[in-house]
Amino acid sequence: PIFGHIREIEDVPSNLVGRLSHYFSTYKLRPDDGGTVRVGAPYGRAHAESVVAASLDDYSERFGSG
């Protein structure tokens, strides 16, 4: 119910996008690692749907559609 109105990335509150970006850039970092992570700019629904479809195709190619 809270996010049911969201259809595009522009519908997501910018502070939430920022928090999610920060999360994905830090959640696997360890204090002794010194590694860096770059999170790119968010993209819209059409691109996201094509990425998911391509991922499903890759999975099916590798593991079968079963």
Side-chain angles (χ1 to χ4, degrees):
I2 295 172
F3 298 111
H5 69 285
I6 294 175
R7 297 290 178 256
E8 288 291 339
I9 192 68
E10 293 82 13
D11 299 334
V12 180
S14 60
N15 63 337
L16 179 56
V17 173
R19 290 181 73 164
L20 289 168
S21 179
H22 179 264
Y23 171 78
F24 284 112
S25 68
T26 60
Y27 80 108
K28 285 190 175 182
L29 292 179
R30 296 186 322 241
D32 58 338
D33 188 15
T36 59
V37 175
R38 186 179 80 77
V39 175
Y43 41 79
R45 180 181 183 146
H47 187 117
E49 288 175 347
S50 69
V51 169
V52 171
S55 298
L56 292 171
D57 290 342
D58 290 347
Y59 183 90
S60 292
E61 278 183 35
R62 182 163 182 147
F63 301 106
S65 59

Coordinates of all heavy atoms in Angstrom, one line a residue:
P1 N 0.8 -1.2 0.0 CA 0.0 0.0 0.0 C 0.8 1.3 0.0 O 0.5 2.3 -0.6 CB -0.8 -0.1 1.3 CG -0.8 -1.5 1.7 CD 0.4 -2.1 1.1
I2 N 2.0 1.2 0.6 CA 2.8 2.4 0.7 C 3.4 2.8 -0.6 O 3.5 4.0 -0.9 CB 3.9 2.3 1.8 CG1 3.3 2.1 3.2 CG2 4.9 3.4 1.8 CD1 4.2 1.7 4.3
F3 N 3.9 1.8 -1.4 CA 4.5 2.1 -2.6 C 3.7 1.7 -3.8 O 4.3 1.7 -4.9 CB 5.9 1.4 -2.6 CG 6.8 1.8 -1.5 CD1 7.1 1.0 -0.5 CD2 7.4 3.1 -1.6 CE1 8.0 1.4 0.5 CE2 8.2 3.6 -0.5 CZ 8.5 2.7 0.5
G4 N 2.5 1.4 -3.7 CA 1.6 1.0 -4.8 C 1.4 2.0 -5.9 O 1.2 1.6 -7.0
H5 N 1.7 3.2 -5.6 CA 1.5 4.2 -6.7 C 2.8 4.4 -7.5 O 2.7 5.0 -8.6 CB 1.2 5.6 -6.0 CG 2.4 6.2 -5.3 ND1 2.8 5.6 -4.0 CD2 3.3 7.1 -5.6 CE1 3.9 6.3 -3.6 NE2 4.2 7.2 -4.5
I6 N 3.9 3.8 -7.2 CA 5.1 4.0 -7.9 C 5.1 3.2 -9.2 O 4.9 2.0 -9.2 CB 6.3 3.6 -7.0 CG1 6.4 4.5 -5.8 CG2 7.6 3.5 -7.7 CD1 7.4 4.2 -4.8
R7 N 5.4 3.9 -10.3 CA 5.5 3.3 -11.6 C 6.9 3.6 -12.2 O 7.3 2.8 -13.1 CB 4.4 3.8 -12.5 CG 3.0 3.4 -12.0 CD 2.8 1.9 -12.2 NE 1.4 1.6 -11.7 CZ 1.2 1.0 -10.5 NH1 2.2 0.7 -9.7 NH2 0.0 0.7 -10.1
E8 N 7.5 4.6 -11.8 CA 8.8 5.0 -12.4 C 9.7 5.5 -11.2 O 9.2 5.8 -10.2 CB 8.7 6.2 -13.4 CG 8.0 5.8 -14.7 CD 9.0 4.9 -15.6 OE1 10.2 4.9 -15.3 OE2 8.4 4.2 -16.4
I9 N 11.0 5.5 -11.5 CA 12.0 5.9 -10.5 C 11.7 7.3 -10.0 O 11.9 7.6 -8.8 CB 13.4 5.8 -11.0 CG1 14.4 5.9 -9.8 CG2 13.7 6.7 -12.1 CD1 14.4 4.8 -8.8
E10 N 11.1 8.2 -10.8 CA 10.8 9.5 -10.4 C 9.7 9.6 -9.3 O 9.6 10.6 -8.6 CB 10.4 10.4 -11.6 CG 11.5 10.6 -12.6 CD 11.7 9.5 -13.6 OE1 10.8 8.6 -13.7 OE2 12.8 9.5 -14.3
D11 N 9.0 8.5 -9.2 CA 7.9 8.4 -8.2 C 8.4 8.1 -6.8 O 7.7 8.2 -5.8 CB 6.8 7.4 -8.6 CG 6.2 7.7 -9.9 OD1 6.1 8.9 -10.3 OD2 5.7 6.7 -10.6
V12 N 9.6 7.6 -6.8 CA 10.3 7.2 -5.5 C 10.8 8.5 -4.8 O 11.5 9.2 -5.5 CB 11.4 6.2 -5.7 CG1 12.0 5.8 -4.4 CG2 10.8 4.9 -6.4
P13 N 10.5 8.7 -3.6 CA 11.1 9.8 -2.9 C 12.6 9.9 -3.0 O 13.3 8.8 -2.8 CB 10.7 9.7 -1.4 CG 9.5 8.8 -1.5 CD 9.7 7.9 -2.7
S14 N 13.2 11.0 -3.3 CA 14.6 11.1 -3.6 C 15.5 10.7 -2.3 O 16.5 10.1 -2.5 CB 15.0 12.5 -4.0 OG 14.7 13.5 -3.0
N15 N 15.0 11.0 -1.1 CA 15.7 10.6 0.0 C 15.8 9.0 0.2 O 16.8 8.5 0.6 CB 15.2 11.2 1.3 CG 13.8 10.8 1.6 OD1 13.0 10.4 0.8 ND2 13.4 10.9 2.9
L16 N 14.7 8.3 -0.3 CA 14.8 6.9 -0.3 C 15.7 6.3 -1.3 O 16.5 5.4 -1.0 CB 13.4 6.3 -0.5 CG 13.2 4.8 -0.5 CD1 13.8 4.1 0.7 CD2 11.8 4.4 -0.8
V17 N 15.8 6.9 -2.5 CA 16.7 6.5 -3.5 C 18.1 6.7 -3.0 O 19.0 5.9 -3.1 CB 16.5 7.3 -4.8 CG1 17.6 7.0 -5.8 CG2 15.2 7.0 -5.4
G18 N 18.4 7.8 -2.3 CA 19.7 8.1 -1.7 C 20.1 7.1 -0.7 O 21.2 6.6 -0.6
R19 N 19.1 6.7 0.2 CA 19.4 5.7 1.2 C 19.7 4.4 0.7 O 20.6 3.6 1.1 CB 18.2 5.7 2.2 CG 18.1 6.9 3.1 CD 17.0 6.8 4.0 NE 17.4 5.9 5.1 CZ 16.8 5.8 6.2 NH1 15.7 6.6 6.5 NH2 17.2 4.9 7.1
L20 N 18.9 4.0 -0.4 CA 19.1 2.7 -1.0 C 20.5 2.7 -1.7 O 21.2 1.7 -1.7 CB 18.0 2.4 -2.0 CG 16.7 2.0 -1.4 CD1 15.6 2.0 -2.4 CD2 16.7 0.7 -0.6
S21 N 20.8 3.7 -2.4 CA 22.1 3.8 -3.0 C 23.3 3.7 -2.0 O 24.2 3.0 -2.2 CB 22.3 5.2 -3.8 OG 23.5 5.3 -4.4
H22 N 23.1 4.4 -0.9 CA 24.1 4.3 0.2 C 24.2 2.8 0.7 O 25.3 2.3 0.9 CB 23.8 5.2 1.3 CG 24.8 5.1 2.4 ND1 24.6 4.4 3.6 CD2 26.0 5.7 2.6 CE1 25.6 4.4 4.4 NE2 26.5 5.2 3.8
Y23 N 23.1 2.2 0.9 CA 23.1 0.8 1.4 C 23.8 -0.1 0.4 O 24.7 -0.8 0.9 CB 21.6 0.3 1.6 CG 21.6 -1.1 1.9 CD1 21.8 -1.6 3.1 CD2 21.3 -2.1 0.9 CE1 21.8 -3.0 3.4 CE2 21.2 -3.4 1.1 CZ 21.5 -3.9 2.4 OH 21.5 -5.2 2.6
F24 N 23.5 0.0 -0.9 CA 24.1 -0.9 -1.8 C 25.6 -0.6 -2.0 O 26.4 -1.5 -2.5 CB 23.4 -0.9 -3.1 CG 22.1 -1.7 -3.0 CD1 20.9 -1.1 -3.1 CD2 22.2 -3.1 -2.8 CE1 19.7 -1.9 -3.0 CE2 21.0 -3.9 -2.7 CZ 19.8 -3.2 -2.8
S25 N 26.1 0.6 -1.7 CA 27.5 0.9 -1.8 C 28.3 0.5 -0.5 O 29.5 0.6 -0.6 CB 27.7 2.4 -2.1 OG 27.3 3.2 -1.0
T26 N 27.6 0.1 0.5 CA 28.3 -0.1 1.8 C 28.0 -1.5 2.4 O 28.8 -1.9 3.3 CB 28.0 0.9 2.8 OG1 26.6 1.0 3.1 CG2 28.5 2.3 2.4
Y27 N 27.0 -2.2 2.0 CA 26.6 -3.3 2.8 C 27.5 -4.5 2.9 O 27.5 -5.3 3.8 CB 25.2 -3.8 2.4 CG 25.1 -4.7 1.2 CD1 24.8 -6.1 1.3 CD2 25.3 -4.2 -0.1 CE1 24.7 -6.9 0.2 CE2 25.2 -5.0 -1.2 CZ 24.9 -6.3 -1.0 OH 24.8 -7.1 -2.2
K28 N 28.5 -4.6 1.9 CA 29.4 -5.7 2.0 C 30.8 -5.3 2.4 O 31.7 -6.1 2.4 CB 29.5 -6.4 0.6 CG 28.3 -7.3 0.3 CD 28.5 -8.2 -0.9 CE 27.4 -9.1 -1.1 NZ 27.6 -10.0 -2.2
L29 N 31.0 -4.0 2.6 CA 32.3 -3.5 2.9 C 32.7 -3.9 4.4 O 31.8 -3.9 5.3 CB 32.4 -2.0 2.8 CG 32.3 -1.4 1.4 CD1 32.3 0.1 1.5 CD2 33.4 -1.9 0.5
R30 N 33.9 -4.3 4.5 CA 34.4 -4.6 5.9 C 35.4 -3.5 6.3 O 36.1 -2.9 5.4 CB 35.1 -5.9 5.9 CG 34.1 -7.1 5.6 CD 34.8 -8.4 5.8 NE 36.2 -8.4 5.3 CZ 36.6 -9.2 4.3 NH1 35.8 -10.0 3.7 NH2 37.9 -9.2 3.9
P31 N 35.5 -3.2 7.5 CA 36.4 -2.1 8.0 C 37.9 -2.3 7.5 O 38.6 -1.4 7.2 CB 36.3 -2.1 9.5 CG 35.0 -2.7 9.8 CD 34.8 -3.7 8.7
D32 N 38.3 -3.5 7.5 CA 39.7 -3.8 7.1 C 39.9 -4.0 5.6 O 41.0 -4.3 5.2 CB 40.2 -5.0 7.9 CG 39.4 -6.3 7.6 OD1 38.2 -6.2 7.2 OD2 39.9 -7.4 7.9
D33 N 38.9 -3.9 4.9 CA 39.0 -4.3 3.4 C 39.6 -3.1 2.6 O 40.4 -3.4 1.7 CB 37.6 -4.6 2.9 CG 37.5 -5.1 1.5 OD1 38.6 -5.5 1.0 OD2 36.5 -5.2 0.9
G34 N 39.1 -1.9 2.8 CA 39.6 -0.8 2.1 C 39.1 -0.7 0.7 O 39.5 0.1 -0.1
G35 N 38.2 -1.6 0.3 CA 37.6 -1.6 -1.0 C 36.6 -0.5 -1.3 O 36.2 0.2 -0.4
T36 N 36.4 -0.3 -2.5 CA 35.4 0.8 -2.9 C 34.3 0.1 -3.8 O 34.6 -0.8 -4.5 CB 36.1 1.9 -3.6 OG1 36.7 1.5 -4.8 CG2 37.1 2.6 -2.7
V37 N 33.2 0.7 -3.7 CA 32.1 0.3 -4.6 C 31.5 1.5 -5.2 O 31.4 2.6 -4.6 CB 31.0 -0.4 -3.7 CG1 29.8 -0.8 -4.5 CG2 31.5 -1.6 -3.0
R38 N 31.1 1.4 -6.5 CA 30.5 2.5 -7.2 C 29.1 2.0 -7.6 O 28.9 1.0 -8.2 CB 31.2 2.8 -8.4 CG 30.7 4.1 -9.1 CD 31.5 4.4 -10.4 NE 31.1 3.6 -11.5 CZ 30.0 3.7 -12.3 NH1 29.2 4.7 -11.9 NH2 29.8 3.0 -13.3
V39 N 28.1 2.8 -7.1 CA 26.7 2.5 -7.5 C 26.3 3.6 -8.5 O 26.4 4.8 -8.3 CB 25.8 2.6 -6.3 CG1 24.3 2.4 -6.7 CG2 26.2 1.6 -5.2
G40 N 25.9 3.1 -9.7 CA 25.6 4.0 -10.8 C 24.2 4.7 -10.5 O 23.5 4.4 -9.5
A41 N 23.9 5.6 -11.4 CA 22.6 6.3 -11.3 C 21.5 5.3 -11.5 O 21.6 4.4 -12.3 CB 22.6 7.4 -12.3
P42 N 20.4 5.5 -10.8 CA 19.2 4.7 -11.0 C 18.6 4.9 -12.4 O 18.8 5.9 -13.0 CB 18.2 5.1 -9.9 CG 18.6 6.5 -9.6 CD 20.1 6.6 -9.8
Y43 N 18.0 3.8 -12.9 CA 17.4 3.9 -14.2 C 15.9 3.6 -14.1 O 15.5 3.0 -13.1 CB 18.1 3.1 -15.3 CG 18.6 1.7 -14.8 CD1 17.7 0.7 -14.8 CD2 19.9 1.5 -14.5 CE1 18.1 -0.6 -14.4 CE2 20.3 0.2 -14.1 CZ 19.4 -0.8 -14.1 OH 19.8 -2.1 -13.7
G44 N 15.2 3.9 -15.2 CA 13.8 3.7 -15.2 C 13.2 2.3 -15.3 O 14.0 1.4 -15.5
R45 N 11.9 2.2 -15.3 CA 11.2 1.0 -15.3 C 11.5 0.1 -16.6 O 11.8 -1.1 -16.5 CB 9.7 1.2 -15.2 CG 8.9 0.0 -15.2 CD 7.4 0.3 -15.1 NE 6.7 -0.9 -15.0 CZ 5.6 -1.1 -14.3 NH1 5.1 0.0 -13.7 NH2 4.9 -2.2 -14.3
A46 N 11.5 0.7 -17.7 CA 11.7 0.0 -19.0 C 13.1 -0.7 -19.0 O 13.2 -1.8 -19.3 CB 11.5 0.9 -20.2
H47 N 14.1 0.1 -18.6 CA 15.5 -0.5 -18.5 C 15.5 -1.6 -17.5 O 16.1 -2.6 -17.7 CB 16.5 0.6 -18.2 CG 17.9 0.2 -18.3 ND1 18.8 0.7 -19.2 CD2 18.6 -0.8 -17.6 CE1 19.9 0.1 -19.0 NE2 19.9 -0.8 -18.1
A48 N 14.9 -1.3 -16.3 CA 15.0 -2.4 -15.2 C 14.3 -3.6 -15.7 O 14.8 -4.7 -15.5 CB 14.3 -1.8 -14.0
E49 N 13.1 -3.5 -16.4 CA 12.5 -4.7 -16.9 C 13.3 -5.4 -17.9 O 13.3 -6.7 -17.9 CB 11.1 -4.3 -17.5 CG 10.1 -3.9 -16.4 CD 8.8 -3.4 -16.9 OE1 8.7 -3.1 -18.2 OE2 7.8 -3.4 -16.1
S50 N 14.0 -4.7 -18.8 CA 14.9 -5.4 -19.7 C 16.1 -6.1 -19.1 O 16.5 -7.2 -19.5 CB 15.4 -4.4 -20.8 OG 16.3 -3.5 -20.3
V51 N 16.6 -5.5 -18.0 CA 17.7 -6.1 -17.2 C 17.2 -7.4 -16.6 O 17.9 -8.5 -16.6 CB 18.3 -5.2 -16.2 CG1 19.2 -5.9 -15.2 CG2 19.0 -4.0 -16.8
V52 N 16.0 -7.4 -16.0 CA 15.4 -8.6 -15.4 C 15.2 -9.7 -16.4 O 15.5 -10.8 -16.3 CB 14.1 -8.3 -14.6 CG1 13.4 -9.5 -14.2 CG2 14.5 -7.4 -13.4
A53 N 14.6 -9.3 -17.6 CA 14.4 -10.3 -18.7 C 15.7 -10.9 -19.2 O 15.7 -12.1 -19.4 CB 13.6 -9.6 -19.8
A54 N 16.7 -10.1 -19.3 CA 18.0 -10.6 -19.8 C 18.6 -11.5 -18.7 O 19.2 -12.6 -19.1 CB 19.0 -9.4 -20.1
S55 N 18.4 -11.2 -17.5 CA 18.9 -12.1 -16.4 C 18.2 -13.4 -16.4 O 18.8 -14.5 -16.2 CB 18.7 -11.4 -15.0 OG 19.4 -10.2 -15.0
L56 N 16.9 -13.4 -16.6 CA 16.1 -14.6 -16.7 C 16.5 -15.5 -17.9 O 16.7 -16.7 -17.8 CB 14.6 -14.3 -16.8 CG 14.0 -13.8 -15.5 CD1 12.6 -13.3 -15.8 CD2 14.0 -14.8 -14.4
D57 N 16.8 -14.8 -19.0 CA 17.3 -15.5 -20.2 C 18.6 -16.2 -20.0 O 18.9 -17.3 -20.3 CB 17.4 -14.6 -21.4 CG 16.0 -14.2 -22.0 OD1 15.0 -14.8 -21.6 OD2 16.0 -13.2 -22.7
D58 N 19.6 -15.4 -19.3 CA 20.9 -16.0 -19.0 C 20.8 -17.2 -18.1 O 21.4 -18.2 -18.2 CB 21.7 -14.9 -18.3 CG 22.2 -13.8 -19.3 OD1 22.0 -14.0 -20.5 OD2 22.7 -12.7 -18.8
Y59 N 19.9 -17.1 -17.1 CA 19.7 -18.2 -16.1 C 19.2 -19.4 -16.9 O 19.7 -20.5 -16.7 CB 18.7 -17.7 -15.0 CG 18.5 -18.8 -14.0 CD1 19.4 -18.9 -12.9 CD2 17.5 -19.8 -14.1 CE1 19.2 -19.8 -11.9 CE2 17.4 -20.8 -13.2 CZ 18.2 -20.8 -12.1 OH 18.1 -21.8 -11.1
S60 N 18.2 -19.2 -17.7 CA 17.6 -20.3 -18.5 C 18.7 -21.0 -19.4 O 18.7 -22.2 -19.5 CB 16.4 -19.9 -19.3 OG 15.4 -19.5 -18.5
E61 N 19.5 -20.2 -20.0 CA 20.6 -20.7 -20.9 C 21.5 -21.6 -20.0 O 22.0 -22.6 -20.5 CB 21.3 -19.6 -21.5 CG 20.7 -19.0 -22.8 CD 21.6 -18.0 -23.4 OE1 22.8 -18.1 -23.4 OE2 21.0 -17.0 -24.0
R62 N 21.9 -21.1 -18.9 CA 22.8 -21.8 -18.1 C 22.3 -23.0 -17.3 O 22.9 -24.1 -17.2 CB 23.5 -20.8 -17.1 CG 24.5 -21.5 -16.2 CD 25.4 -20.6 -15.5 NE 26.4 -21.3 -14.8 CZ 27.6 -20.9 -14.6 NH1 28.0 -19.8 -15.0 NH2 28.4 -21.7 -13.9
F63 N 21.0 -22.9 -16.8 CA 20.5 -23.9 -15.9 C 19.3 -24.6 -16.4 O 18.7 -25.5 -15.8 CB 20.2 -23.3 -14.5 CG 21.4 -22.7 -13.8 CD1 21.5 -21.4 -13.7 CD2 22.4 -23.6 -13.3 CE1 22.6 -20.8 -13.1 CE2 23.5 -23.0 -12.7 CZ 23.6 -21.6 -12.6
G64 N 18.7 -24.1 -17.6 CA 17.5 -24.7 -18.1 C 16.3 -24.0 -17.6 O 16.4 -23.2 -16.6
S65 N 15.2 -24.1 -18.2 CA 14.0 -23.4 -17.8 C 13.1 -24.2 -16.9 O 12.1 -23.7 -16.4 CB 13.2 -23.1 -19.1 OG 12.8 -24.2 -19.8
G66 N 13.6 -25.4 -16.5 CA 12.8 -26.3 -15.7 C 12.3 -25.8 -14.4 O 11.5 -26.1 -13.7

